[in-house]
Amino acid sequence: MNTNTFTLAEKLRALRRQAGITQEQAAGHCGISLRSYKSYELNQTRPRYDEIYERLATLYNVPADYLRYDHITQAGLPEAKDADAKQLIAAARALFAGAHLTDADRDAIFLALTDAYKNADGKKHQ
């Protein structure tokens, strides 16, 4: 295996851990059995239907093709190095994956984070 590619199982485990959810929660969100979800993470089977890839992609906020094909990576998405930054990113992903937020709430969170970024250290970023 190329060191720059990851199996569906590896991707799902990493994404689920980043989101801070259990396998049972992931399965429930996607409308599949826990047994099916576990088999994906154990690299025993892959989803048979495109709809399952779409549900998984929605849950983890990634393109469905990223999950469908091992050679596709999330290139261009930098990984945080700071522990606090990693924790904030994981919490944000879990919050957005919950699907209980309204569009207005999602927009408010985005704008607040953008404003905090732009005003960090008193510097304006363009």
Side-chain angles (χ1 to χ4, degrees), residues 72-90:
I72 295 179
T73 65
Q74 281 188 285
L77 296 179
E79 183 176 324
K81 303 289 184 230
D82 180 79
D84 289 338
K86 286 182 180 182
Q87 186 176 6
L88 178 61
I89 291 167

Side-chain angles (χ1 to χ4, degrees), residues 25-120:
Q25 290 169 318
H29 177 83
C30 294
I32 59 176
S33 70
L34 177 58
R35 181 178 175 165
S36 290
Y37 187 87
K38 283 183 176 184
S39 73
Y40 303 155
E41 278 200 13
L42 292 171
N43 208 27
Q44 294 172 337
T45 62
R46 295 179 71 94
R48 284 188 267 169
Y49 305 105
D50 283 340
E51 183 178 347
I52 302 302
Y53 283 104
E54 296 296 332
R55 291 178 190 172
L56 288 165
T58 298
L59 172 64
Y60 296 125
N61 196 27
V62 297
D65 282 348
Y66 170 69
L67 299 174
R68 255 187 217 103
Y69 307 109
D70 293 346
H71 69 279
I72 295 179
T73 65
Q74 281 188 285
L77 296 179
E79 183 176 324
K81 303 289 184 230
D82 180 79
D84 289 338
K86 286 182 180 182
Q87 186 176 6
L88 178 61
I89 291 167
R93 284 189 174 136
L95 180 65
F96 284 108
H100 65 279
L101 294 175
T102 65
D103 286 343
D105 286 341
R106 290 165 42 117
D107 289 345
I109 292 167
F110 174 76
L111 291 172
L113 289 172
T114 301
D115 184 62
Y117 172 78
K118 286 181 177 181
N119 293 307

Side-chain angles (χ1 to χ4, degrees), residues 13-28:
R13 279 193 303 271
L15 289 166
R16 183 178 55 77
R17 289 176 181 150
Q18 281 181 326
I21 61 174
T22 65
Q23 289 178 328
E24 187 172 4
Q25 290 169 318

